[in-house]
Amino acid sequence: MAILFYIFAAVAVIAGLNVVLQRRPVYSALWLIVVLCALAVEYLLLGAVFMAFIQIIVYAGAIMVLFVLVIMLLNAHHEEPTHGSQFAQWLGAPLVVALLVEIGVAVWSWPGAAHVNPPPLRAGPKSVGDLLFHQYVLPFEVTSALILVAILGAVVLARKES
Amino acid sequence: MTGDIIRLFPEIVLGVSGILVILFAPFVPPRRQSLLGWFALFGVVAAGAADALTARDPGLAFGGSVSADSFSVYFIALFLLVAGVTILGSIHYLERENLPAGEFYALILLATLGMALMAAGLDLVLVFLGLELSSLSTYILAGYRRHDKRSNEASLKYFLLGSFATAFFLYGIAFVYGLSGTTNLMTLARRVGAAGGPNRTFAAVALLLIFVGLGFKVSAAPFQIWTPDVYQGAPAPVVAFLSVGPKAAAFAVLLRVFFGPLSEGSHMAFWLLWLSAILTMCLGNLAAIWQSNVKRLLAYSAIAQAGYILVGFAAGSADGRSAVSFYLVTYALMNTGAFLLVAQLAGGGEGRTEIDDYKGLARECPGKAAVLSVLLLSLSGIPTTAGFLGKFYLFRAAVDSHLIALTIIAVLNSVVSVYYYFRLIVVMYMEEGPAAVSTARLPGSLWAALAVSVAGIFYLGIFPSAFLEFARLTSNLLPH
């Protein structure tokens, strides 16, 4: 099982890098589907069957279709690389390395990391629903306000002149 | 359940009045759009009453994910003040610029709801949703003048960089969850304190990531680069709101996270805050000197002000924290007032925002020049204004924590800042007109908004004790 975890983790990381590095937006979107599917396998390995299928149906299915459709509607072509940000080139890479090293040190220096006891998994439809409508009912409701704001924004920024 | 609802009453009132504004908007004739503004203002006042109600019965709600305590009551009152003053100052502006009013007020109210949830939330999931709610609303508001290229640019820049910063914040939350198995700050505080709990390096990484995410919102260096472009391009009343509201909300979350459960990692965090405070002050003040545009000048001044607030953070003591809370209110009064007045003076299409446009304003409109001077004097920290006392408390907290070098740099910076604030005053009073800015009479609603600002500045500057007592209560970060 552990070997499967590492294989799909590597797939997710490589695909994730490709999302960022591809020059054509459509390719980025397609690589994102690979990331999402690899993560779904990781959920399966953890025993969270329900989450794995939700991940495939909602993200890889519904949301990515929307992504690809929008990219095609906008007719986005090859992205031109800019040369404006020397700052990012010279400082970005060292900072990324520094962050990775720091995270690595934090993980290795943690004696508890070797014998983590994961809490009992509650990932079936019943327990997800239970969490969503009891412990997280307020965040759930606030999400609807968030979507309302997004709709308002679309209306304000894209409506026709009267 | 009813107890839960009462403790969430201000947020509920804000959300409901935001939705009602949009529902009413189609039925209000185009020439009476100001009615929507008065209704939104009524919603803000009602939320203020609800806030006072929650103060009488503090406690946790919704399974510990929200807390109604003196901290949340104080910050919600601050957000409502900013929202109320901004709405008052926008009523005339929206008519002049012929912008749709309903969505504007609804977005302001919903952004305020998001900020209130950030201050009241004890669960980081809820805090994140509050952050998104306030950010998304302000991204849209920044692009509200959608036929203006600069406004589009401001909105897009703010959106792209803001989303990037939010991702860091989320990554920080993921680390917190990874190290403790919870996103609730109360539970986190218990687990971090327990023996064999999460270690210091891990907490430091989580703090670092959260600081990157929220540091963007407060425009702390080195995440301040977006500020001048966004403040210059966005409609000025929106800047009055977004330069204060989301900033104060992000500072509130930083206070709760840095000095609450994750203080284990704050040994490293201290140097982070120390360095960021110095960078923010110096970059803001030095860049402000060279500006020729008033909105850009105030943008760099806003960066510098964030630096002074970080000095209070670096002090780390209870005094430092209450000084931060106090300064945020004085900053809200000064900055919203200044940007609202600049919006009015800029005239139709916001065409007149260069410093040279203000030449000789004092002779033509002595009232406006005097009000702007008071706001600028307070921003620079002249005694008898609130800005002076706010800075005094911040710097004194730093001295008490033996941060002598930091205090000296902060004082030197505020001396430098006097130069560029006074330059604008000198242009208004000493140089020959005619003033190019709009000299039209101040509309009543804007007059009221400015009166609140100026009265607040003098009240806090001369009789601070009652209010300071209130600010001191906010140094209790987590309910017992």
Side-chain angles (χ1 to χ4, degrees):
Chain A
M1 285 307 238
I3 189 87
L4 276 180
F5 171 84
Y6 285 114
I7 291 172
F8 281 96
V11 170
V13 170
I14 292 168
L17 280 174
N18 265 311
V19 173
V20 186
L21 296 177
Q22 288 294 332
R23 287 273 159 73
R24 287 174 188 272
V26 174
Y27 290 171
S28 290
L30 294 178
W31 277 108
L32 189 55
I33 298 180
V34 178
V35 177
L36 295 171
C37 291
L39 286 181
V41 177
E42 303 284 26
Y43 291 151
L44 267 182
L45 291 174
L46 286 169
V49 182
F50 180 64
M51 291 314 291
F53 282 103
I54 289 289
Q55 170 92 357
I56 298 280
I57 295 169
V58 176
Y59 281 93
I63 293 180
M64 285 315 299
V65 169
L66 214 63
F67 257 52
V68 174
L69 207 68
V70 168
I71 291 170
M72 297 218 267
L73 274 179
L74 290 177
N75 205 8
H77 289 302
H78 193 83
E79 296 262 299
E80 286 301 316
T82 57
H83 300 285
S85 185
Q86 296 286 319
F87 174 75
Q89 274 179 6
W90 292 107
L91 210 63
L95 279 178
V96 168
V97 173
L99 183 65
L100 286 178
V101 166
E102 196 187 347
I103 291 173
V105 167
V107 171
W108 286 117
S109 69
W110 188 13
H115 43 86
V116 175
N117 293 321
L121 192 68
R122 297 193 300 154
K126 187 160 177 282
S127 39
V128 168
D130 195 43
L131 278 177
L132 206 54
F133 293 109
H134 280 117
Q135 192 182 343
Y136 292 110
V137 64
L138 188 57
F140 182 75
E141 292 298 333
V142 173
T143 311
S144 57
L146 195 60
I147 294 171
L148 178 68
V149 166
I151 296 172
L152 268 179
V155 169
V156 168
L157 297 179
R159 78 163 134 213
K160 281 207 179 103
E161 284 307 302
S162 51
Chain B
M1 197 63 198
T2 38
D4 284 359
I5 295 209
I6 287 176
R7 282 171 192 155
L8 204 68
F9 215 32
E11 287 89 342
I12 293 173
V13 172
L14 278 172
V16 169
S17 43
I19 292 168
L20 284 180
V21 169
I22 325 170
L23 287 180
F24 290 160
F27 303 106
V28 177
R31 299 188 53 193
R32 312 275 298 158
Q33 295 280 304
S34 60
L35 278 178
L36 291 168
W38 295 111
F39 179 79
L41 191 67
F42 172 74
V44 169
V45 172
D51 193 35
L53 195 69
T54 55
R56 296 161 60 101
D57 177 30
L60 300 176
F62 287 94
S65 60
V66 170
S67 154
D69 49 23
S70 45
F71 186 86
S72 74
V73 168
Y74 182 91
F75 275 98
I76 292 175
L78 166 59
F79 304 147
L80 292 173
L81 171 78
V82 175
V85 170
T86 308
I87 290 171
L88 263 179
S90 310
I91 291 175
H92 173 74
Y93 179 88
L94 291 174
E95 282 173 359
R96 189 188 77 192
E97 304 287 321
N98 200 14
L99 294 169
E103 289 86 349
F104 185 92
Y105 299 123
L107 286 169
I108 294 267
L109 289 172
L110 290 171
T112 313
L113 165 66
M115 290 164 355
L117 286 169
M118 284 169 79
L122 286 184
D123 198 306
L124 287 174
V125 173
L126 189 62
V127 171
F128 169 71
L129 281 169
L131 176 70
E132 276 295 82
L133 195 52
S134 73
S135 307
L136 216 57
S137 313
T138 42
Y139 301 151
I140 299 163
L141 286 170
Y144 212 73
R145 294 159 49 85
R146 63 197 184 103
H147 295 298
D148 181 353
K149 262 191 196 156
R150 279 188 181 284
S151 186
N152 294 341
E153 185 199 338
S155 179
L156 199 63
K157 236 176 212 174
Y158 193 32
F159 170 64
L160 289 177
L161 293 173
S163 315
F164 191 52
T166 313
F168 275 93
F169 182 67
L170 207 51
Y171 198 26
I173 296 180
F175 261 86
V176 168
Y177 186 76
L179 99 146
S180 65
T182 180
T183 51
N184 188 297
L185 292 177
M186 299 278 282
T187 323
L188 182 64
R190 271 202 304 280
R191 294 202 183 155
V192 170
N199 74 354
R200 191 176 266 188
T201 338
F202 231 99
V205 173
L207 271 187
L208 178 73
L209 291 168
I210 289 178
F211 182 75
V212 172
L214 293 175
F216 172 85
K217 293 286 162 203
V218 304
S219 54
F223 316 110
Q224 89 297 357
I225 301 166
W226 58 278
T227 316
D229 290 344
V230 172
Y231 285 16
Q232 189 183 5
V238 171
V239 182
F241 183 74
L242 82 85
S243 69
V244 180
K247 215 173 193 176
F251 270 124
V253 176
L254 279 176
L255 276 176
R256 260 203 170 138
V257 173
F258 264 77
F259 300 110
L262 286 182
S263 49
E264 279 285 308
S266 60
H267 182 67
M268 191 198 91
F270 165 75
W271 289 107
L272 185 75
L273 292 168
W274 189 84
L275 200 66
S276 181
I278 291 182
L279 267 179
T280 314
M281 287 187 292
C282 294
L283 285 175
N285 279 318
L286 292 181
I289 295 176
W290 309 104
Q291 300 309 315
S292 61
N293 180 294
V294 175
K295 279 172 95 181
R296 275 186 99 80
L297 180 123
L298 287 174
Y300 281 109
S301 120
I303 295 174
Q305 303 281 340
Y308 304 138
I309 295 171
L310 284 172
V311 170
F313 267 86
S317 54
D319 276 347
R321 299 200 296 266
S322 49
V324 167
S325 304
F326 183 80
Y327 196 76
L328 282 171
V329 172
T330 66
Y331 171 70
L333 291 167
M334 310 183 285
N335 231 38
T336 38
F339 272 109
L340 289 176
L341 190 51
V342 167
Q344 163 70 19
L345 290 170
E350 284 198 21
R352 298 292 181 180
T353 53
E354 295 299 312
I355 291 182
D356 285 342
D357 296 335
Y358 285 71
K359 274 182 185 166
L361 181 67
R363 192 154 309 156
E364 288 174 52
C365 312
K368 283 177 216 167
V371 170
L372 190 55
S373 303
V374 168
L375 295 166
L376 292 170
L377 288 175
S378 182
L379 279 166
S380 65
I382 300 296
T384 73
T385 60
F388 167 74
L389 275 183
K391 268 187 198 160
F392 173 74
Y393 292 131
L394 282 172
F395 297 170
R396 195 182 59 180
V399 170
D400 287 345
S401 301
H402 309 292
L403 302 175
I404 307 299
L406 183 62
T407 316
I408 291 174
I409 295 174
V411 171
L412 286 179
N413 262 293
S414 79
V415 173
V416 170
S417 77
V418 172
Y419 168 75
Y420 58 83
Y421 291 124
F422 270 68
R423 190 157 66 105
L424 191 52
I425 298 178
V426 166
V427 166
M428 286 191 295
Y429 280 88
M430 308 290 187
E431 295 200 14
E432 286 298 318
V437 292
S438 158
T439 50
R441 274 194 55 194
L442 282 188
S445 50
L446 181 60
W447 194 92
L450 292 174
V452 170
S453 286
V454 171
I457 284 171
F458 281 122
Y459 176 72
L460 291 184
I462 300 170
F463 309 106
S465 53
F467 198 77
L468 201 61
E469 211 51 46
F470 191 16
R472 207 158 275 154
L473 289 175
T474 63
S475 59
N476 289 329
L477 295 171
L478 291 178
H480 298 295

